[in-house]
Amino acid sequence: MNKPMQTLALAVLFLSLLVYGCTAEKAPAPDSGITVTACDTAVITSAYILTAVSDKCTSRGCHKGTGSTASTNFTTYAGIKGYITSNEALWKSRVTGADADMPPGSTKLTQGMKDSIDCWISHGMPE
């Protein structure tokens, strides 16, 4: 086969594949009745939450269960869980909500951390 014929054969093959690719059946649309979020399948441990809360909420001397923050002992899993169980609405508004003011200053929680904490709470705060 000469060079022009090879080029023509390749062009026809390429165009055939292109046309076939554009007319092939599309995959079915996802089932719109089911919403799956990362939280549905996420496994967030208390150790992860304890580390994050300790880093942001107790590292500067706050929420260690002493002094003026005696009722907010976030140094243990039991302390965090107990506080959230008794004060979930306050926790969400002050810590994970859109207008959260804790922790103060430049130590703010990232949105990902807020989402992880909310997910952990929604799963029953597993150990």
Side-chain angles (χ1 to χ4, degrees):
M1 192 184 280
N2 61 27
K3 183 88 171 165
M5 289 301 285
Q6 286 178 332
T7 303
L8 180 60
L10 286 173
V12 169
L13 177 63
F14 175 74
L15 287 174
S16 297
L17 290 173
L18 183 64
V19 169
Y20 174 75
C22 292
T23 60
E25 272 188 46
K26 294 181 181 178
D31 181 0
S32 61
I34 299 173
T35 302
V36 177
T37 62
C39 185
D40 292 337
T41 58
V43 177
I44 300 168
T45 65
S46 61
Y48 176 75
I49 298 300
L50 182 59
T51 299
V53 170
S54 291
D55 180 51
K56 298 292 186 179
C57 306
T58 65
S59 64
R60 295 178 15 208
C62 304
H63 304 295
K64 289 188 171 196
T66 59
S68 64
T69 62
S71 65
T72 56
N73 182 355
F74 299 157
T75 62
T76 66
Y77 165 75
I80 295 170
K81 183 176 180 178
Y83 183 83
I84 293 171
T85 299
S86 300
N87 304 284
E88 187 171 350
L90 180 60
W91 173 274
K92 287 189 176 198
S93 71
R94 302 270 329 256
V95 180
T96 62
D99 297 322
D101 60 350
M102 287 289 163
S106 62
T107 61
K108 296 289 183 208
L109 297 171
T110 65
Q111 187 60 51
M113 179 52 63
K114 290 178 181 182
D115 293 345
S116 292
I117 293 170
D118 280 342
C119 184
W120 176 71
I121 292 169
S122 74
H123 285 186
M125 297 179 273
E127 276 194 65

